[in-house]
Amino acid sequence: CSCNTLMEHPSRVGKYEVEEFLGGGMSRVYRAKDSVLGRRVALKILAEAAASDAEAKARFLQEARIASSTAHENIIAVYDFGEEQGRPFMVMEFLEGESLRDAIENQRAGDFARRMQIALQVGRAIGHIHLKKIIHRDIKPENINVDRTGRAKLMDFGIAKSDNLQLTKAGMTLGTPYYMSPEQVLGQDVTPQTDVYAFGVLMYELLTGKKPVEAENYERIFHKILYVPLNLEPLHEAAVAPAAIDLIRKCMAKPPAERPQGFGTICGAIEETLRQGALQPRPAPVQVAVQHDVTEDELPGFLQILPA
């Protein structure tokens, strides 16, 4: 069947042959093949119901334009975008690997050095979009892809803000609660410092496996973000390098002005921490005999995860 029938799962969009539905809600993501170039791609299409919403449609096209303007080795590449029978679509590189969320939860993010390398790549990607006057506003492990070589790529610009276009309604707060900065919670103007705060949250979780703020409902989460001092104990328990702890503390400062000013500074601090770690002698490994049956879930493996 043809996409021209506007089926919920089209078989073709322009020159792109749909191969498999990968997931999604308001936007559907498919593995597809470029029939001209012969390469595998990820095809993201606004769902039929959402395509009738003018603001949802405009936001989808804004995401496509923003993402296509941010070529960087640590950012997902957007090859093409357009509209088919009233439904906007974008065509992205097909990423092998898994989300950073899965890597953290399944303990596949590696040792401290590898985790810091992932953080460094994410920091470089955010620094790149900031140079282009783009604020991501939704930095979180779900929006980072990591492949088996350790290459990290920033994804999903669905609520990104650029200087040229802002579709957020007055008073509307966008973001994922755990990673929102105090100014986002308060509905204040969002600046690049919002991404700095979220990056600090991401680093905290990457290095400890725990969120720095957890509560049973949004109200308690927001209260902690606004008023409760950052708990550094899990970082100490995880034996995180003091310099990395200090960087996280600074990134998560509640006043935006107290956070590092720019990702050049942040990436420089991460690079220095990695250099210091390489110079320090490694302790002899402690041999501990543990009886443990390995489950299927613990076997190394990589899922194909794409932004939805």
Side-chain angles (χ1 to χ4, degrees):
C1 58
S2 167
C3 179
N4 292 335
T5 62
L6 282 182
M7 290 184 62
E8 203 57 24
H9 296 301
S11 60
R12 189 181 185 94
V13 174
K15 65 175 182 174
Y16 304 102
E17 299 171 357
V18 175
E19 296 179 341
E20 181 185 358
F21 173 61
L22 299 173
M26 283 186 61
S27 298
R28 308 295 173 85
V29 181
Y30 301 87
R31 187 184 74 226
K33 181 181 179 181
D34 184 325
S35 61
V36 175
L37 298 178
R39 68 182 170 189
R40 177 180 288 176
V41 297
L43 179 66
K44 186 173 182 178
I45 311 172
L46 192 62
E48 193 169 356
S52 61
D53 182 322
E55 186 167 346
K57 194 171 179 179
R59 189 172 298 286
F60 184 97
L61 290 171
Q62 176 195 13
E63 176 187 1
R65 292 188 190 98
I66 288 175
S68 65
S69 71
T70 56
H72 187 273
E73 63 179 348
N74 298 120
I75 298 175
I76 188 171
V78 172
Y79 302 136
D80 190 12
F81 65 92
E83 199 167 314
E84 181 86 7
Q85 294 289 304
R87 289 174 67 181
F89 69 89
M90 72 177 86
V91 181
M92 305 167 288
E93 68 175 309
F94 186 84
L95 296 177
E96 303 287 350
E98 63 184 338
S99 70
L100 183 56
R101 162 70 59 226
D102 286 338
I104 292 170
E105 291 185 350
N106 296 312
Q107 299 183 346
R108 289 197 289 261
D111 60 11
F112 174 75
R114 177 149 174 160
R115 289 171 192 245
M116 289 293 282
Q117 286 286 355
I118 291 172
L120 178 59
Q121 293 176 72
V122 175
R124 287 171 175 165
I126 303 170
H128 178 75
I129 67 172
H130 283 184
L131 287 175
K132 292 184 170 289
K133 307 298 183 184
I134 296 166
I135 305 167
H136 191 282
R137 299 200 300 174
D138 200 20
I139 303 297
K140 59 184 178 181
E142 288 83 350
N143 286 339
I144 309 296
N145 183 89
V146 183
D147 67 18
R148 63 185 66 231
T149 71
R151 169 70 64 84
K153 292 212 176 192
L154 179 63
M155 310 181 294
D156 200 343
F157 289 80
I159 65 169
K161 171 190 172 184
S162 72
D163 278 357
N164 301 323
L165 182 61
Q166 170 62 306
L167 292 170
T168 306
K169 295 175 182 175
M172 184 178 180
T173 300
L174 293 175
T176 304
Y178 296 109
Y179 305 88
M180 289 171 66
S181 64
E183 59 269 27
Q184 272 181 301
V185 171
L186 294 171
Q188 297 173 350
D189 287 343
V190 170
T191 72
Q193 295 304 90
T194 294
D195 285 347
V196 171
Y197 181 92
F199 180 77
V201 179
L202 182 141
M203 274 194 71
Y204 187 110
E205 190 170 1
L206 176 59
L207 296 174
T208 68
K210 302 175 182 178
K211 293 182 177 69
V213 173
E214 292 195 90
E216 63 278 5
N217 56 51
Y218 284 3
E219 183 179 347
R220 294 299 304 164
I221 292 170
F222 292 158
H223 174 82
K224 288 186 175 182
I225 289 171
L226 291 173
Y227 304 113
V228 177
L230 178 63
N231 179 15
L232 299 177
E233 192 55 37
L235 291 160
H236 293 298
E237 291 173 356
V240 173
I245 296 176
D246 189 53
L247 178 61
I248 291 168
R249 180 185 60 77
K250 290 176 179 176
C251 286
M252 291 186 64
K254 298 189 189 301
E258 293 182 10
R259 299 172 205 152
Q261 302 296 306
F263 274 85
T265 300
I266 292 169
C267 291
I270 294 173
E271 289 167 348
E272 180 60 27
T273 301
L274 284 166
R275 278 194 296 271
Q276 292 298 324
L279 294 173
Q280 292 172 1
R282 297 181 182 277
V286 178
Q287 300 295 327
V288 179
V290 178
Q291 180 64 39
H292 175 65
D293 294 326
V294 177
T295 66
E296 187 173 297
D297 289 339
E298 291 171 312
L299 293 174
F302 291 85
L303 304 176
Q304 295 171 342
I305 299 293
L306 288 159

